């Protein structure tokens, strides 16, 4: 295992964004030199590059309120949808919802990766008009799996097929469940075709926000959040008057190490990071929960979705994961959305909004607060979770920096799972990659520049090696 000579947790000095002394004169500096001035956001960058806050920020998807446009169509029959990533977790849960509510929703197009068997089952069950599969080499296998079936859809493989699924003429809403920057191009295609986006792909906003948001506004497309935290905020701000939102409070489970002392983190093994206290999830998201990078990325998403300043987006540890997030209004009221930890509810709301769909108490159990007994909260430890300040700093820098942060983290987590770096090295890899990117930060990037720097960040992070006492490229 290579080491990146990461500082120990007790040596990482970061400023808490939860403090009450947020001042425009406060300057904090992350290890490695990425320094940001709060509020007015003067970023110390080489070559005189200023952060994107100095330019016009992209328009938020929902500027502190969620209002229904006059003339919004109420569907009398099933609403037609497309699903990108149909064989993944988001896709399969979306199809569960469709199966339970055939009078509310119907599938017109599906895009999947390489799980031919599951995709064939989905085609037989939902009869989409169009299907895309990742590789052309899998088309014959898919057709063979459908031999004898009473239905055969049009099949378009590869990137072209995913884009055609996204902009299918009959669909109204596109569920974007594909992982990574691979979801950007089909999302852009859907927006340009005037389709509403049920957003489950983080990179769409974290990396693509500066490009995607103006495009969505241009085409009058709604971006509807399908993850639990941002759905909670979206539900809370329904009908808010302009200017009513003061603060967003994102809740976090705290991950595998929420009860570990900081001193033990230097000894973390991969198996330790994969032991989530609440759920069984995929390796990447479980490690992100352990490092709290998942919540740092959600802070950036919240900024892009709702237009809140980074000083007005907080994180609180809530071990029970019943309150999915909260908002504070200007008069100090706090509104929260509660529910069992079940991803189907936020997905359902993206499909049904602005309506509410009645659900069976058998498949959708009601929340019973008396059974729960108590809900607890605590402030996150900035020494244990340096990811938070890295995310806030990248968010304030804006432009391509947020996509670089996300891509570097994804690569660092992959290297940690493969036991090529240590747990604490994850933070250092991300920090060094962001630090290097200051040379080339693009504040108002094109789609091509966003994708370019996503790939650059992954390559740079992957090639960080130990050279003497200082991490360097080899």
């Amino acid at each position: 295992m290579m080491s990146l000579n990461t500082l120990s947790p007790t040596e990482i000095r970061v400023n808490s964004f939860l403090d009450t002394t947020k001042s425009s004169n406060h300057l904090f500096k992350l290890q490695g030199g990425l320094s940001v001035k709060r509020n007015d956001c003067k970023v110390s960058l080489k070559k005189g590059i200023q952060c994107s806050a100095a330019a016009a920020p992209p328009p938020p998807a929902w500027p502190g309120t969620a209002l229904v446009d006059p003339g919004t169509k109420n569907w009398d029959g099933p609403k037609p949808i497309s699903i990108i990533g149909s064989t993944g977790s988001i896709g399969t849960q979306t199809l569960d919802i469709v199966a339970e509510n055939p009078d509310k929703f119907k599938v017109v197009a599906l895009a999947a990766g390489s799980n031919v068997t599951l995709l064939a089952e989905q085609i037989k069950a939902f009869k989409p008009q169009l299907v895309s599969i990742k590789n052309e080499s899998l088309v014959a296998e898919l057709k063979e799996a459908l031999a004898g079936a009473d239905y055969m859809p049009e099949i378009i493989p590869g990137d072209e097929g995913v884009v055609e699924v996204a902009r299918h003429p009959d669909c109204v809403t596109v569920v974007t469940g594909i992982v990574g920057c691979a979801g950007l191009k089909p999302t852009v295609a859907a927006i340009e075709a005037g389709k509403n986006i049920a957003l489950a792909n983080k990179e769409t906003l974290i990396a693509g926000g500066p490009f995607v948001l103006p495009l969505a506004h241009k085409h009058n497309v709604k971006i509807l959040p399908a993850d639990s935290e941002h759905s909670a905020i979206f539900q809370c701000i329904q009908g808010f008057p302009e200017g009513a939102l003061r603060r967003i409070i994102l809740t976090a489970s705290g991950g595998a190490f929420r009860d570990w002392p900081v001193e033990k983190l230097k000894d973390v093994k991969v198996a330790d990071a994969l032991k989530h206290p609440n759920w069984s999830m995929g390796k990447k998201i479980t490690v992100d929960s352990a490092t709290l990078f998942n919540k740092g990325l959600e802070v950036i998403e919240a900024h892009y979705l709702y237009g809140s300043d980074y000083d007005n987006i907080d994180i609180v540890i809530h071990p029970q994961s019943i309150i999915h997030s909260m908002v504070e209004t200007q008069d100090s009221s706090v509104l929260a959305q509660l529910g069992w930890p079940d991803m189907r509810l936020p997905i359902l709301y993206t499909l049904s909004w602005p309506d509410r769909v009645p659900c069976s108490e058998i498949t959708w159990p009601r929340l019973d607060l008396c059974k729960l007994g108590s809900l607890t909260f605590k402030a996150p430890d900035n020494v244990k979770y340096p990811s938070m300040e890295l995310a806030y700093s990248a968010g304030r820098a804006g432009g391509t920096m947020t996509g670089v942060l996300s891509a570097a983290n994804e690569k660092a987590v992959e290297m940690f799972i493969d036991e090529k770096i240590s747990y604490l090295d994850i933070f250092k890899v991300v920090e060094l990659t962001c630090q290097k990117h200051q040379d080339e930060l693009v504040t108002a990037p094109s789609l091509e520049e966003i994708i370019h720097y996503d790939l650059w960040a992954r390559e740079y992070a992957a090639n960080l090696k130990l050279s003497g006492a200082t991490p360097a490229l080899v």
Side-chain angles (χ1 to χ4, degrees), residues 352-413:
S352 68
W353 183 86
D355 299 326
R356 294 281 186 172
V357 173
C359 294
S360 164
E361 293 185 34
I362 297 173
T363 53
W364 302 70
R366 289 187 175 185
L367 181 64
D368 190 333
L369 292 175
C370 295
K371 282 186 178 180
L372 283 169
S374 64
L375 302 175
T376 59
F377 309 89
K378 63 179 180 179
D381 185 336
N382 286 272
V383 176
K384 183 183 288 186
Y385 303 115
S387 51
M388 292 187 298
E389 291 293 4
L390 284 168
Y392 275 81
S393 185
R396 289 186 172 92
T400 48
M401 187 64 79
T402 52
V404 165
L405 173 93
S406 177
N409 172 64
E410 188 171 329
K411 192 63 184 181
V413 170

Side-chain angles (χ1 to χ4, degrees), residues 25 81 122 127 140 151 229 245 265 300 309-310 327 329 344 370 376 380 386 403 434 464:
N25 295 319
I81 66 170
Q122 292 174 346
K127 295 181 170 52
Y151 181 76
E229 292 81 4
L245 178 63
L265 295 182
I300 296 167
D309 184 84
Y310 283 102
V327 299
T329 60
R344 293 177 303 162
C370 295
T376 59
C434 289
L464 279 170

Side-chain angles (χ1 to χ4, degrees), residues 253 255-256 258 272-281 285-286 289-290:
S253 69
R258 70 185 181 204
D272 299 323
L274 295 178
K275 294 175 182 176
H276 195 284
N278 293 357
W279 308 295
S280 175
M281 304 183 294
I285 185 60
T286 304
S289 181

Side-chain angles (χ1 to χ4, degrees), residues 23 36 43 79 100 107 110 117 167 172 175 185 238 265 275 280 318 324 331 354 370-371 377 428 440 442-443:
S23 164
V36 177
V43 180
K79 180 187 289 187
E100 191 172 343
V107 176
L110 295 174
T117 302
R167 64 186 183 194
V172 172
V175 180
K185 286 186 177 180
Q238 295 295 309
L265 295 182
K275 294 175 182 176
S280 175
H318 170 47
H324 297 299
D331 59 6
C370 295
K371 282 186 178 180
F377 309 89
K428 198 64 178 177
E440 299 183 11
V442 180
T443 60

Side-chain angles (χ1 to χ4, degrees), residues 81-128:
I81 66 170
S82 292
I83 303 173
I84 301 172
S86 69
T87 56
S89 175
I90 296 296
T92 54
Q93 290 181 87
T94 302
L95 289 171
D96 287 344
I97 292 168
V98 174
E100 191 172 343
N101 299 277
D103 59 324
K104 301 292 184 185
F105 313 108
K106 67 176 180 181
V107 176
V108 297
L110 295 174
S114 56
N115 191 336
V116 173
T117 302
L118 180 54
L119 178 58
E121 293 174 0
Q122 292 174 346
I123 293 169
K124 293 174 184 177
F126 296 98
K127 295 181 170 52

Side-chain angles (χ1 to χ4, degrees), residues 452-468:
H452 167 78
Y453 283 110
D454 173 89
L455 296 173
W456 171 86
R458 295 169 193 273
E459 182 179 0
Y460 186 87
N463 287 308
L464 279 170
K465 300 288 184 181
L466 190 65
S467 176

